[in-house]
Every structure is written in C-alpha cells, then in structure tokens.
Amino acid sequence: MAVSHGGLDIGYIAGEDLSSHQFHFVHLENDTQVTLMDNGTEFPIGILQNAPTSGEVAVVRVSGTSYLKMNAAVAVGAKVKHEYVSASDCGKGQSTDVTKEFYRGICIMASGAEDDIGAVLLVYDNIPVVASQSPSLSASMSASRSASSSASASVSPSVSASRSASQSASASVSPSASISPSSSASPSGA
C-alpha cells in the first residue's frame, strides 16, 4: 500500500525564485509572500509543495505531513529543523537532538544522504520549558485545565445536543472528500 502525505496547504506569492526549492522549508516574508530562509533562527512557516518562480503562487504545507529534502541521513523519529548554510543552501531538513533547540517536524520517512527526500510530520515546538520542569507553569496549566473543565460542564443540554449532531454529521464525511496531493507534490518531481 502506498503512503499518502497530506495536510493543510496555504497559497502565498513567491517573493523570489523558488523553482529549485520544492520540499524545502520557507519563511513568511510578509502577509502575502514566502521566501527562502534568511538565517538559522527564523521560523519556517511550512514546506514548499511546488516550484514557483518569483510572483507565482507558492503552495506551502503548514500542518500535516510532507515530503522534505534533507541535508544528510535522517532517521525515523528524529526531530527535524531547517538547515541554513547560505542564502542559496537553506531550508533542507536537518536532524537535531539538542534539548532546547527549536524543531519543526518529526521524521516519518528516513533519508539516506544529502538531498534525499524524506518525510516529516509538521509540529510546532517552540515552548522552551517543559511543564514538569517548572512548578509555577505546571500550577497555572492545572488551573487552566480545571477552569476549562468546569466551563465545559456548564454547557446547556441544547448546545451539547447540537454539538453531538454536528459531530455525527462530520464523522460521516466520506474519505473521498479529502484533498489529495497534486502530481507536483511527489518526490519523483524533485
């Protein structure tokens, strides 16, 4: 059975020529344009799914799973961040095991060498302190959970009934209604 990679794609304008950077991390330059990564500390908005030239539509996967060109061998389960070597060599996936280093994905399809195509599950992990390491953060998270639990317990029965009805309706959507990746989103086109 073939593996399918899908998720939430957003269209932006390519702020520069991205035609040789399909399946690379890209940066949100402003509210309408994406560009190549400018340095190693920028936040990658997602992974480029097509190969647009400047001014064309850039399809960016912001959540879900995606193919990603890697900078070296990366094993399944590894945390993946974006690589930055230079303005022309940037945006490939790079394994990281540094405890407090930001990462943007978890490898779900290994790569064997530089420029191999792997795949990642896109994640947002920029929380510098784990709740169990900070008693005050743990206490505030617990208080938040308690407040949210009591608020949901006081929802009126009519609201609960309408939620159940809408959940049942959404659960009955057929798998054929899902969005399938375009032919340009396969590693063979990379």
Side-chain angles (χ1 to χ4, degrees):
M1 178 169 120
V3 175
S4 170
H5 297 288
L8 177 62
D9 294 340
I10 298 179
Y12 293 100
I13 303 298
E16 60 188 317
D17 184 2
L18 301 174
S19 60
S20 61
H21 288 86
Q22 183 180 23
F23 303 126
H24 282 67
F25 283 114
V26 290
H27 163 71
L28 189 59
E29 186 68 25
N30 57 46
D31 60 349
T32 61
Q33 294 185 335
V34 291
T35 59
L36 297 174
M37 305 302 296
D38 292 325
N39 59 57
T41 61
E42 281 184 321
F43 177 76
I45 191 68
I47 299 172
L48 186 65
Q49 298 297 297
N50 61 345
T53 59
S54 184
E56 292 182 336
V57 174
V59 178
V60 180
R61 175 83 30 96
V62 295
S63 69
T65 60
S66 178
Y67 292 111
L68 179 64
K69 189 173 276 194
M70 302 293 192
N71 77 334
V74 177
V76 169
K79 296 173 184 175
V80 178
K81 66 176 194 165
H82 73 278
E83 168 197 54
Y84 183 84
V85 175
S86 69
S88 61
D89 186 9
C90 58
K92 294 177 189 174
Q94 172 178 327
S95 175
T96 180
D97 60 3
V98 177
T99 304
K100 292 188 179 185
E101 190 167 50
F102 174 82
Y103 60 97
R104 187 66 173 86
I106 305 290
C107 184
I108 59 171
M109 185 174 92
S111 66
E114 183 165 12
D115 294 331
D116 277 1
I117 299 290
V120 295
L121 170 64
L122 289 163
V123 298
Y124 294 95
D125 180 52
N126 60 349
I127 301 171
V129 178
V130 177
S132 63
Q133 295 173 337
S134 168
S136 61
L137 182 57
S138 293
S140 73
M141 288 177 73
S142 294
S144 244
R145 278 192 219 116
S146 297
S148 127
S149 296
S150 358
S152 64
S154 66
V155 173
S156 71
S158 63
V159 172
S160 296
S162 69
R163 278 193 189 148
S164 292
S166 70
Q167 286 170 348
S168 298
S170 67
S172 66
V173 173
S174 71
S176 63
S178 64
I179 298 172
S180 62
S182 66
S183 60
S184 66
S186 68
S188 61

